[in-house]
Structures are given as C-alpha cells and as structure tokens.
Amino acid sequence: MGESAKPTIVISGAAAGIGRATAVLFARRGYRVGAYDVDLAGLASLREEITAAGGEAAIGRLDVTNQQDWSECLRDFTGGSGRLDILVNNAGILSSGRFEEIPLERQRAIVEVNVCGTMAGLHTAFPYLRDTKGAQVVNLCSASAIYGQPELATYSATKFAVRGLTEALELEWRRYGIRVIAMWPLFVATAMVDG
C-alpha cells in the first residue's frame, strides 16, 4: 500500500500511557502514525516498537502550546498529500492536591497544556481534517469532566473545557464532514497518576 493510500493518525502526548498505546494499536491496524511529544526518548522507543512490528511511525518534538510546533509537525507528517484521517489530542498534565496548595504557576501550566494545547491542535489541524474525507478528531477528556473532582480542581476544570469544545465542534464541523468526539477514561495506570 502506498504512503498516500494508508490512513493516517497524529497523536499528541504519544511517548507514554494512553497516547503510546493508541499509536501502537493504530500502527498494527495499518495506519501511518505521527507520534509527537516533548519526551524524545519515549518517542524513539515507540518508533522502534512500531517498526519492529512492521508498522510505520514518524516522530517529533511537539510542545502542544506552541502553534508553530503544530504547524511544522503537521506539514512534515502529511507531506504533499495533506492527508490527516484522525487527530488525537491526548497530551495533558495534572497536579493533585488541595487547590490552595498547588502553585498558581503550575495551575496555569495545566490550563495551557490541557486546554490551549488542545485548541492549538484543533485550529492548526483544521485545514488537513477538512480536506480529508471522513476525518475524525478524538479529544482525551476524562471522567473528571462529569463533575468537579476535589484535589483535581484545575485538571477537572480543563477537562470540562475540552468537553465543551468537543461538543461545540462536533456540531460546528459537521458541515465539513469532520467527526469530533471525546474519550472519558477513568483513572488509568500511567505515569500521569503516579503518587
């Protein structure tokens, strides 16, 4: 199957956890995977794993809060075809503890990565999604978007925001044939929830 015939998926926060598992799963299903993160060592081992299984993965550094990073990753990954079948906005961070004890700077970082990073990915990927028939977006929300969770207040607030953004774009982008959904996992045994 030629490169342009393979379905494509771009995943942020792909070096570990849910993002990594998603990359491996889609590579096994014949997708050309674009795996991006700030953890370059994790991405390198992911590419080795996918390549060893006969799959194809492009990797690169992506700070999801930086639109220029998004632009470069998407341009380089899609190449001349511009094809982007699935975008997975997975990158996220959290800090647990009492709201007043978590430094405001850290809380702002959670908002920047979880909300602004998702927005930057959606905004930058839109032309690729619009021009790919049957394109889909999966935003990683959380069960924390169902109700405000004590000791995860800011994280929960960011996931409420992602939930609202997802629901709005599912309606707004219908005219372009782009499906926009959210996944709402409960706690998953990843480094994100260590401690």
Side-chain angles (χ1 to χ4, degrees):
M1 188 180 289
E3 183 177 301
S4 63
K6 273 189 175 186
T8 62
I9 183 170
V10 165
I11 306 161
S12 69
I18 293 171
R20 185 183 186 103
T22 302
V24 170
L25 175 72
F26 276 84
R28 285 185 182 143
R29 293 194 175 171
Y31 279 71
R32 184 169 164 265
V33 175
Y36 300 95
D37 205 305
V38 292
D39 175 4
L40 297 179
L43 288 176
S45 70
L46 170 63
R47 182 168 54 190
E48 287 174 12
E49 181 180 350
I50 288 173
T51 302
E56 181 185 354
I59 62 170
R61 185 184 186 288
L62 171 64
D63 170 355
V64 293
T65 67
N66 184 318
Q67 188 173 14
Q68 185 62 37
D69 277 10
W70 273 109
S71 294
E72 290 171 8
C73 289
L74 288 166
R75 183 190 65 236
D76 293 347
F77 177 72
T78 62
S81 76
R83 182 173 182 172
L84 179 57
D85 294 282
I86 303 174
L87 169 66
V88 179
N89 282 305
N90 171 69
I93 59 173
L94 69 75
S95 288
S96 62
R98 293 184 174 181
F99 177 79
E100 67 276 13
E101 294 174 358
I102 298 171
L104 188 56
E105 182 177 315
R106 176 62 180 175
Q107 296 197 47
R108 285 183 172 143
I110 295 168
V111 172
E112 275 293 310
V113 170
N114 298 1
V115 179
C116 298
T118 298
M119 289 170 58
L122 289 161
H123 198 271
T124 311
F126 172 72
Y128 299 96
L129 296 163
R130 179 197 59 212
D131 296 342
T132 304
K133 186 176 177 162
Q136 299 180 62
V137 175
V138 179
N139 293 325
L140 261 289
C141 223
S142 167
S144 296
I146 300 169
Y147 56 86
Q149 267 190 288
E151 299 196 356
L152 287 174
T154 300
Y155 176 78
S156 187
T158 66
K159 294 307 180 175
F160 268 83
V162 171
R163 172 186 173 182
L165 183 61
T166 301
E167 290 173 0
L169 291 181
E170 167 61 13
L171 298 172
E172 192 174 320
W173 286 1
R174 238 179 231 173
R175 72 186 82 173
Y176 306 110
I178 303 169
R179 184 174 182 215
V180 185
I181 63 170
M183 298 294 290
W184 298 30
L186 298 170
F187 284 103
V188 179
T190 68
M192 188 181 208
V193 296
D194 284 353

